[in-house]
Amino acid sequence: MTTTTTAAPGSRDERLVESGLLRRLLTRPELGALGGAILVWIFFAITAPTGFLSLRGTASYLEVASHLGILAVAVALLMIGGEFDLSVGSMIGLAGATMAILSTTQGIPLYLAALVALVIALGVGFINGYLVIRTKLPSFIITLGSLFIIRGLTIAFTRMITGRTQIGGLDRVDGYELMRVLFAGELMVGGARFRASILWWLLVGALATWVLLRTRVGNWIFGAGGAPEAARNVGVPVDKLKIGLFMTTAFAAWLVAAIQITVVKSADTLRGEQQEFIAIIAAVIGGTLLTGGYGSAIGAMLGALIFGMVKQGIVFAGVDADWFNVFLGTMLIIAVLVNNYVRQAAEKARR
């Protein structure tokens, strides 16, 4: 005979742990980045109110944040899954150069050249992921090698075909207008120019947040980064998932490249240099752990927003731009310390 025990109406089930608002907030990885973004905004609003608080100022730091934010969201997903991609910056240069060479030297419409570049970028992402899975080497090593290979090939082939490393005049090739509407459109508000890249940034962030919080794949990503063997034991396709995440970072690099070449109307083989490190810093500032299994897409967006506000804010404040890297390194160290403190506080709150 089977007996069923049910709690009396109004009685407290001892198997459940009550979670208050403060306790739930402490467990959110983006909490520190949110506080940091508010403090940075207040700081520049006080020190450089004329430029920073204007619509033009807002549009300028949102545009800077959007380019980095698209990369940082994809990088954060990969880091939550337990891996790194240091080749993402060089893929921006590769994708941009591919589009420019095919459209200017082969007469291929720019939108078709962009599709070819997308296929190449996804192929590079697949190879990165496949090598990490097959060789069992740290993704840091595999993608560091990819970084130099991709950058070297991009510069060598571009110079061999065009005789230079920068290709201009993309606004005169077939298919530019369609690309401009998709990736370089703008909305004028009060004389300020808000670029389409901001909309792409929000779309990418919203999609990544939905995947992480509302889908089975999101649970797989956390599981693959936090406890990969346990995830495999319950049927999670960890290897395929990680390859897919490497392809996601490659897609983000292609998207940034498409935005940049249509806005600037030129390609540069060195474009995207060091963006891989800055994207990782933005993800860490946003609460993503370097060890995997913990983080958020919203946090990465906030990390990119802090980057954009500081980069433009020091210009409005009249501070020498040389101090920017000092601030960036300091923010990274503070972010790691704050994240560790918040996680320890959250662990204590659960007990």
Side-chain angles (χ1 to χ4, degrees):
M1 183 176 67
T2 301
T3 58
T4 302
T5 303
T6 57
S11 64
R12 179 175 176 272
D13 191 337
E14 296 179 351
R15 295 169 299 180
L16 301 178
V17 177
E18 292 184 355
S19 179
L21 177 61
L22 178 60
R23 190 174 294 179
R24 291 199 299 273
L25 285 176
L26 285 174
T27 61
R28 296 304 310 162
E30 60 270 15
L31 178 65
L34 178 61
I38 293 172
L39 287 177
V40 168
W41 189 89
I42 292 174
F43 175 78
F44 286 113
I46 295 173
T47 57
T50 304
F52 189 76
L53 294 179
S54 67
L55 281 174
R56 289 187 179 181
T58 303
S60 69
Y61 69 68
L62 285 180
E63 183 178 3
V64 172
S66 65
H67 291 201
L68 175 62
I70 293 169
L71 274 185
V73 167
V75 166
L77 292 182
L78 183 61
M79 288 174 63
I80 296 170
E83 305 292 349
F84 292 94
D85 187 354
L86 297 183
S87 68
V88 68
S90 62
M91 270 192 279
I92 295 175
L94 170 66
T98 301
M99 295 181 220
I101 290 173
L102 291 177
S103 59
T104 58
T105 66
Q106 305 300 314
I108 297 175
L110 189 56
Y111 53 84
L112 291 181
L115 291 178
V116 174
L118 175 59
V119 172
I120 293 174
L122 292 176
V124 172
F126 176 84
I127 291 171
N128 277 339
Y130 184 78
L131 287 177
V132 169
I133 298 302
R134 292 291 295 178
T135 64
K136 308 296 183 186
L137 288 173
S139 54
F140 176 86
I141 299 298
I142 294 291
T143 56
L144 183 61
S146 298
L147 183 158
F148 289 107
I149 292 171
I150 294 169
R151 185 69 74 190
L153 287 174
T154 303
I155 295 174
F157 274 106
T158 304
R159 196 191 300 274
M160 183 173 67
I161 295 172
T162 67
R164 54 192 189 276
T165 58
Q166 296 175 332
I167 306 169
L170 295 183
D171 55 331
R172 297 192 295 272
V173 302
D174 290 341
Y176 173 79
E177 187 56 26
L178 176 59
M179 291 286 287
R180 189 195 66 77
V181 171
L182 289 174
F183 300 111
E186 55 196 34
L187 176 65
M188 298 299 294
V189 179
R193 183 178 298 167
F194 289 84
R195 294 283 190 181
S197 59
I198 300 170
L199 179 61
W200 281 107
W201 174 39
L202 296 177
L203 287 174
V204 169
L207 178 62
T209 300
W210 176 75
V211 169
L212 276 179
L213 301 182
R214 298 293 181 185
T215 70
R216 179 185 298 178
V217 174
N219 288 331
W220 289 355
I221 292 173
F222 284 110
E229 290 308 317
R232 283 191 178 91
N233 291 336
V234 295
V236 174
V238 174
D239 293 348
K240 292 180 180 177
L241 178 71
K242 290 192 174 185
I243 291 174
L245 290 174
F246 277 103
M247 295 176 72
T248 301
T249 59
F251 172 80
W254 170 85
L255 179 56
V256 172
I259 291 170
Q260 290 184 347
I261 68 159
T262 48
V263 170
V264 184
K265 303 168 187 173
S266 68
D268 188 334
T269 55
L270 294 180
R271 200 163 283 159
E273 198 169 26
Q274 295 189 349
Q275 287 300 297
E276 56 278 350
F277 299 111
I278 298 177
I280 290 174
I281 290 173
V284 172
I285 291 174
T288 300
L289 287 185
L290 293 168
T291 50
Y294 185 83
S296 83
I298 294 176
M301 295 177 70
L302 290 170
L305 179 61
I306 291 174
F307 174 90
M309 288 195 292
V310 172
K311 189 168 186 179
Q312 297 306 102
I314 60 176
V315 175
F316 294 130
V319 178
D320 194 327
D322 292 341
W323 289 95
F324 174 71
N325 286 335
V326 176
F327 179 86
L328 198 62
T330 305
M331 282 294 296
L332 175 63
I333 295 172
I334 292 175
V336 173
L337 292 174
V338 169
N339 288 340
N340 286 340
Y341 173 79
V342 170
R343 286 181 59 244
Q344 290 171 3
E347 289 297 328
K348 290 179 180 177
R350 289 195 186 104
R351 295 169 188 166

